[in-house]
Amino acid sequence: MNAERDLSPLTPGVVRALTDKLYEKRKVAALEIEKLVREFVAQNNTSQIKHVIQILSQEFALSQHPHSRKGGLIGLAACSIALGKDSGLYLKELIEPVLTCFNDADSRLRYYACEALYNIVKVARGSVLPHFNVLFDGLSKLAADPDPNVKSGSELLDRLLKDIVTESNQFDLVGFIPLLRERIYSNNQYARQFIISWILVLESVPDINLLDYLPEILDGLFQILGDNSKEIRKMCEVALGEFLKEIKKNPSSVKFAEMANILVIHCQATDDLIQLTAMCWMREFIQLAGRVMLPYSSGILTAVLPCLSYDDRKKNIKEVANVCNQSLMKLVIPEDDEMDEAKPSMTIPAEPTSEESLSKPEAVTTGEFQNELNVTLKQPLFFPCSCERIQVTLNLDGIVQVLDYHLSDTSIGMMTRIAVLKWLYHLYIKTPRKMFRHTDSLFPILLRTLSDESDEVILKDLELLAEIASSPAGQTEEGHGASDGSDVRPAPVELHVPARAGQLSSSSTKGLECSPSTPTMNSYFYKFMINLLKRFSSERKLLETRGAFIIRQLCLLLNAENIFHSMADILLREEDLKFASTMVHTLNTILLTSSELFQLRNQLKDLKTPESRNLFCCLYRSWCHNPVTTVSLCFLTQNYKHAYDLIQKFGDLEVTVDFLTEVDKLVQLIECPIFTYLRLQLLDVKNNPYLIKALYGLLMLLPQSSAFQLLSHRLQCVPNPELMQSTDNTKPSTSFKRTAASNIDYTELLQHFEKVQNKHLEARHQRAGRAEQLDRRVVL
């Protein structure tokens, strides 16, 4: 600057004034520069105009001296004013040095830079739009400036630029989006406010379709929604609300699939507002996009399921999550069970099939589950949102994996576990063939869930297990036989359970041999019964507290005859005799007292059909584990003579307190409505002598207790007691004829009873011996 010839056409006076520390002198110099440039414009002397701008830029605005930089800024603004509408030709040269000063350490200089750029933009108006990105970038930095004057100046410039963009149809949105996507992740409150304000402006311009680029900025918007400033959160809520309105108005142009993963992430946010907003978006997406969202089901469920167990403090989130869950479930249709099998397995398509392309996001999960499964969030794929044009094939692997994880997690709330079980049940109903491929992996956790604290969870679990055990699809899968190693034995002949499900097809299930009263169960039924009894054996508390509840519900869900038949057959082979006795007692109590088993009791009471007689024999052999229950079974089936014979054998048994307690309970049971018919038969002394003898036998077993008094009073009501003196050569009664016609070998059954009771006696002695040895060791 010392060489005055280098700064021509600027005069030495103008140069001195531009570098003066006083603003007024610099302003006078700027007016001189404006006058000079106007002359050059009038002469159309572009070279001199460029030369003046270059001098002001290089020698002043970019100078090391602060006052020179201030002079350069006001000089460049003066040039722009002088150029008027022609300033668009020189905008790059005018704007760049001013923007450089935005980074100056001196706040006053940054303010003057704002002022200079305001004047340049005000003159150029729409001509500045090609330079919009650099202007926006500079303004986004000034928005976070700590100096209030600078911030105020940048706000004026910002409003001017917004006016220009709003009134213009030349805005380059495609070029702007990358910068917006970058700046939207700023953590500074003022920068965030600046970004949101611009998004709101762009949304309001009819000619600018920001919705097409929403996937680029949606994640950043949700980040801003978590800002500490209430004002910024409110602005962001408004922006997101406007976008959602646009989506509802024109869903056909929305890139739902590109935003699905973003919503999945933010539906798991710890911030309530972010989570609620994302969940509301997810609800709308599922309802608007329909099956396009199915490939993201595993991620959606990962986000939604935990919310279902929220308490009233997050009631709104819980309600929206529930709608999401229900809507997503409705998207699964029976056709999903067929789609993959309709495709040729060896054909390589020219383009990826819908299943291949859509299944990729299936593994998308977040949070703790993401770490568990060792998967990472993949780049979302773009799918046209027109559901009618897309054949979405359901891939169950990811969904089942998520459901399994949430059911296995003991910290998950009750409503979430119920929702998981409802999902599994729904999938088994809609897509049974595909779901049975996962049954072996799901079966153990479903059995463990029977130990849940919630009755409602257990009910849903039993519904699901009953569906698995009775679904025809369970008979079509190769390798899913009724046995899983040495623990599972083939079903007995009386229980019509297929030995190998792989030998059957769904169309042939109706042709299986089975009694009319016994619907065909699939291969998992017997497996279920075995594992259920194993669980009762290993968890005696479960048997005591929930055993009757579980079995009664199963009798409602499945065929009660099949359940009792199979359990009796399994218990017949049970090596733990004490458990077998306890389980038989439980089953017998259920059989005699549950309203759900009224039909089965009537079937056993008459023994009119071969099926009922087979069932009686099967039950009897297992009931022999418990002498008193065996007698009660004979009472139920009106086998009074055999009941009397059994009671006669009680003299050979070891009579314990528990034994007498069970006899006491049986006496109480005889007084219940279940045995009304038995009490009425006491009126017919002639035809029921063994009934009376059996009751007297029980009376003789009892000590002088309340049960003794109860039964004694009952027997005193029997009319004509002298008729009880019946002999074996008495003319057979009708009841005897019914028994004889049943073709049941009671002698063999009695021998079986003695054999089983001998085993129990030996087992008790062994346990007593071990206990005695242990006591001796303790004493020593």
Side-chain angles (χ1 to χ4, degrees):
M1 285 190 299
N2 293 332
E4 294 180 5
R5 51 185 173 81
D6 293 336
L7 302 179
S8 60
L10 299 184
T11 63
V14 169
V15 171
R16 283 194 301 273
L18 276 178
T19 58
D20 199 279
K21 64 180 181 179
L22 295 176
Y23 172 76
E24 292 300 327
K25 290 187 177 181
R26 294 198 300 273
K27 187 175 181 180
V28 170
L31 291 173
E32 290 296 325
I33 292 172
E34 181 183 345
K35 181 179 177 181
L36 179 64
V37 172
R38 287 185 188 278
E39 292 175 359
F40 290 148
V41 170
Q43 299 167 7
N44 198 22
N45 192 344
T46 58
S47 60
Q48 285 289 16
I49 295 172
K50 287 181 179 180
H51 185 55
V52 170
I53 294 173
Q54 184 181 7
I55 291 172
L56 292 171
S57 172
Q58 299 296 325
E59 302 296 335
F60 290 89
L62 300 179
S63 169
Q64 298 297 319
H65 194 276
H67 297 308
S68 295
R69 292 200 295 275
K70 293 173 185 177
L73 289 171
I74 198 171
L76 288 171
C79 287
S80 177
I81 293 169
L83 288 168
K85 63 180 181 179
D86 293 334
S87 64
L89 301 172
Y90 308 95
L91 277 177
K92 187 174 185 294
E93 293 81 2
L94 289 168
I95 290 173
E96 285 183 355
V98 177
L99 288 175
T100 302
C101 292
F102 276 10
N103 299 317
D104 200 285
D106 185 353
S107 61
R108 290 297 298 168
L109 206 142
R110 294 198 301 275
Y111 174 80
Y112 287 132
C114 277
E115 186 181 51
L117 190 57
Y118 179 87
N119 288 316
I120 293 170
V121 172
K122 187 176 181 180
V123 172
R125 301 295 295 181
S127 300
V128 302
L129 288 179
H131 307 277
F132 178 81
N133 278 14
V134 292
L135 295 174
F136 181 88
D137 185 47
L139 277 174
S140 67
K141 295 172 183 175
L142 287 187
D145 199 284
D147 187 274
N149 291 324
V150 176
K151 195 180 298 180
S152 175
S154 71
E155 287 172 359
L156 285 172
L157 177 57
D158 180 53
R159 283 199 292 272
L160 174 63
L161 202 54
K162 284 173 181 173
D163 289 341
I164 294 170
V165 170
T166 303
E167 68 191 21
S168 172
N169 57 3
Q170 304 288 324
F171 184 71
D172 182 13
L173 184 61
V174 176
F176 172 60
I177 288 298
L179 178 62
L180 179 61
R181 184 179 60 225
E182 176 190 342
R183 287 284 179 261
I184 204 169
Y185 287 105
S186 171
N187 290 323
N188 184 277
Q189 286 189 355
Y190 298 107
R192 285 179 163 184
Q193 193 170 18
F194 172 77
I195 293 290
I196 292 295
S197 68
W198 267 101
I199 290 174
L200 286 168
V201 167
L202 295 176
E203 273 188 291
S204 67
V205 180
D207 294 334
I208 297 177
N209 187 12
L210 194 57
L211 190 61
D212 283 347
Y213 302 93
L214 183 57
E216 304 280 344
I217 61 173
L218 184 62
D219 180 58
L221 282 172
F222 276 106
Q223 300 271 11
I224 294 175
L225 191 60
D227 196 273
N228 294 327
S229 167
K230 289 183 179 180
E231 183 182 355
I232 294 174
R233 288 164 77 100
K234 187 63 180 176
M235 286 177 66
C236 194
E237 270 192 276
V238 171
L240 286 167
E242 290 299 319
F243 276 123
L244 197 55
K245 285 180 185 176
E246 289 296 317
I247 289 170
K248 291 179 181 178
K249 285 181 184 176
N250 192 17
S252 60
S253 62
V254 178
K255 301 171 183 176
F256 290 105
E258 289 192 23
M259 294 181 278
N261 286 337
I262 297 170
L263 294 182
V264 165
I265 293 171
H266 293 290
C267 281
Q268 299 171 80
T270 54
D271 184 282
D272 287 355
L273 179 60
I274 295 176
Q275 191 176 27
L276 177 59
T277 306
M279 201 67 75
C280 289
W281 275 63
M282 184 67 78
R283 176 190 62 197
E284 299 300 331
F285 272 38
I286 295 171
Q287 292 175 353
L288 293 171
R291 287 175 59 82
V292 169
M293 298 297 287
L294 270 184
Y296 301 88
S297 298
S298 61
I300 295 170
L301 287 174
T302 300
V304 166
L305 288 174
C307 301
L308 302 179
S309 293
Y310 282 173
D311 55 25
D312 288 342
R313 289 174 296 178
K314 296 186 177 184
K315 185 179 178 182
N316 292 339
I317 299 173
K318 179 180 179 179
E319 289 174 352
V320 179
N322 188 52
V323 175
C324 290
N325 183 55
Q326 297 296 327
S327 300
L328 186 64
M329 193 181 292
K330 290 176 183 176
L331 298 180
V332 181
I333 55 177
E335 287 74 11
D336 288 319
D337 212 21
E338 312 287 340
M339 287 183 178
D340 62 336
E341 292 162 18
K343 297 176 184 177
S345 58
M346 298 302 292
T347 303
I348 302 175
E351 295 179 355
T353 63
S354 60
E355 179 177 9
E356 292 167 341
S357 60
L358 292 178
S359 64
K360 290 182 181 180
E362 192 67 59
V364 173
T365 52
T366 55
E368 294 179 2
F369 182 55
Q370 184 179 32
N371 297 328
E372 285 285 328
L373 299 179
N374 194 25
V375 295
T376 55
L377 185 67
K378 297 182 180 180
Q379 189 69 22
L381 305 174
F382 166 66
F383 302 98
C385 69
S386 176
C387 305
E388 292 76 20
R389 296 199 303 267
I390 298 178
Q391 183 186 15
V392 178
T393 303
L394 184 69
N395 185 341
L396 287 179
D397 291 350
I399 296 177
V400 172
Q401 201 173 22
V402 172
L403 296 175
D404 190 350
Y405 170 80
H406 283 86
L407 196 59
S408 304
D409 188 351
T410 55
S411 63
I412 292 294
M414 179 189 73
M415 297 308 297
T416 297
R417 296 197 299 277
I418 291 172
V420 168
L421 293 168
K422 285 182 177 179
W423 255 102
L424 289 170
Y425 182 81
H426 182 74
L427 292 173
Y428 270 104
I429 294 293
K430 297 294 184 182
T431 60
R433 289 195 292 172
K434 284 186 177 181
M435 279 303 296
F436 265 93
R437 300 170 190 170
H438 301 277
T439 300
D440 283 340
S441 61
L442 289 171
F443 210 66
I445 182 61
L446 294 179
L447 287 167
R448 288 198 297 273
T449 305
L450 292 175
S451 302
D452 198 275
E453 296 177 355
S454 165
D455 285 350
E456 195 173 350
V457 171
I458 294 175
L459 277 173
K460 293 299 176 188
D461 193 31
L462 289 172
E463 286 180 16
L464 176 55
L465 285 166
E467 177 60 29
I468 292 172
S470 60
S471 173
Q475 296 164 344
T476 61
E477 292 296 312
E478 291 289 343
H480 290 298
S483 75
D484 60 348
S486 59
D487 293 330
V488 183
R489 300 171 182 84
V493 176
E494 294 87 349
L495 179 67
H496 298 282
V497 178
R500 289 290 294 176
Q503 297 169 0
L504 305 172
S505 65
S506 58
S507 61
S508 66
T509 55
K510 293 182 180 179
L512 290 172
E513 269 188 52
C514 61
S515 66
S517 62
T518 310
T520 302
M521 298 293 113
N522 65 26
S523 55
Y524 280 98
F525 174 79
Y526 203 67
K527 181 179 179 181
F528 175 31
M529 293 297 107
I530 288 174
N531 283 281
L532 179 60
L533 289 175
K534 276 185 179 179
R535 194 141 196 91
F536 285 151
S537 178
S538 61
E539 290 188 40
R540 298 299 171 88
K541 187 177 179 182
L542 176 64
L543 176 59
E544 293 169 9
T545 57
R546 299 287 181 80
F549 171 73
I550 289 171
I551 294 170
R552 288 175 61 184
Q553 292 301 320
L554 284 176
C555 288
L556 289 173
L557 295 166
L558 296 169
N559 181 269
E561 181 182 341
N562 268 355
I563 291 170
F564 273 78
H565 209 316
S566 58
M567 284 192 170
D569 180 71
I570 296 164
L571 288 170
L572 191 59
R573 301 175 177 88
E574 178 60 50
E575 295 178 358
D576 185 346
L577 298 180
K578 190 174 181 181
F579 166 70
S581 177
T582 304
M583 193 68 221
V584 163
H585 176 73
T586 302
L587 290 171
N588 187 66
T589 303
I590 295 168
L591 176 62
L592 294 179
T593 60
S594 298
S595 58
E596 297 89 348
L597 296 176
F598 174 78
Q599 186 177 352
L600 185 60
R601 282 196 297 272
N602 281 346
Q603 187 179 338
L604 284 168
K605 187 168 70 175
D606 297 327
L607 297 180
K608 290 179 179 178
T609 63
E611 290 79 20
S612 62
R613 292 192 288 272
N614 283 339
L615 177 61
F616 166 71
C617 291
C618 181
L619 295 180
Y620 181 95
R621 294 178 186 280
S622 288
W623 263 227
C624 286
H625 283 296
N626 191 307
V628 180
T629 60
T630 313
V631 172
S632 66
L633 180 64
C634 291
F635 282 161
L636 175 65
T637 56
Q638 303 181 66
N639 285 303
Y640 302 132
K641 183 180 185 306
H642 193 69
Y644 173 70
D645 293 338
L646 285 171
I647 293 171
Q648 291 291 88
K649 295 291 182 182
F650 283 6
D652 301 329
L653 302 180
E654 183 179 6
V655 178
T656 63
V657 174
D658 290 340
F659 176 85
L660 292 175
T661 302
E662 291 195 23
V663 176
D664 189 300
K665 289 180 180 177
L666 177 57
V667 171
Q668 302 286 343
L669 200 59
I670 289 171
E671 295 297 319
C672 293
I674 297 294
F675 281 114
T676 300
Y677 68 92
L678 181 146
R679 298 195 299 275
L680 288 173
Q681 286 171 350
L682 291 174
L683 296 174
D684 188 3
V685 177
K686 181 178 179 181
N687 289 326
N688 297 291
Y690 286 105
L691 169 58
I692 298 170
K693 284 186 176 185
L695 293 176
Y696 268 106
L698 291 178
L699 189 66
M700 295 304 108
L701 285 171
L702 286 167
Q704 299 272 335
S705 61
S706 59
F708 177 90
Q709 297 296 330
L710 187 65
L711 184 55
S712 176
H713 289 158
R714 174 63 66 185
L715 289 171
Q716 287 172 15
C717 297
V718 175
N720 301 319
E722 64 275 6
L723 296 178
M724 294 172 58
Q725 305 300 320
S726 300
T727 59
D728 289 327
N729 58 5
T730 303
K731 184 178 178 181
S733 65
T734 55
S735 63
F736 295 158
K737 290 177 182 177
R738 182 189 67 80
T739 305
S742 65
N743 297 323
I744 296 174
D745 188 350
Y746 288 99
T747 303
E748 189 272 333
L749 291 179
L750 198 58
Q751 290 172 353
H752 177 77
F753 174 81
E754 292 175 342
K755 181 181 177 181
V756 172
Q757 284 305 307
N758 286 334
K759 285 184 179 178
H760 276 270
L761 183 62
E762 184 180 343
R764 278 197 295 271
H765 288 166
Q766 288 177 355
R767 286 198 297 270
R770 286 196 295 269
E772 188 177 345
Q773 289 178 3
L774 186 61
D775 290 341
R776 287 176 182 173
R777 288 177 185 173
V778 171
V779 171
L780 291 174

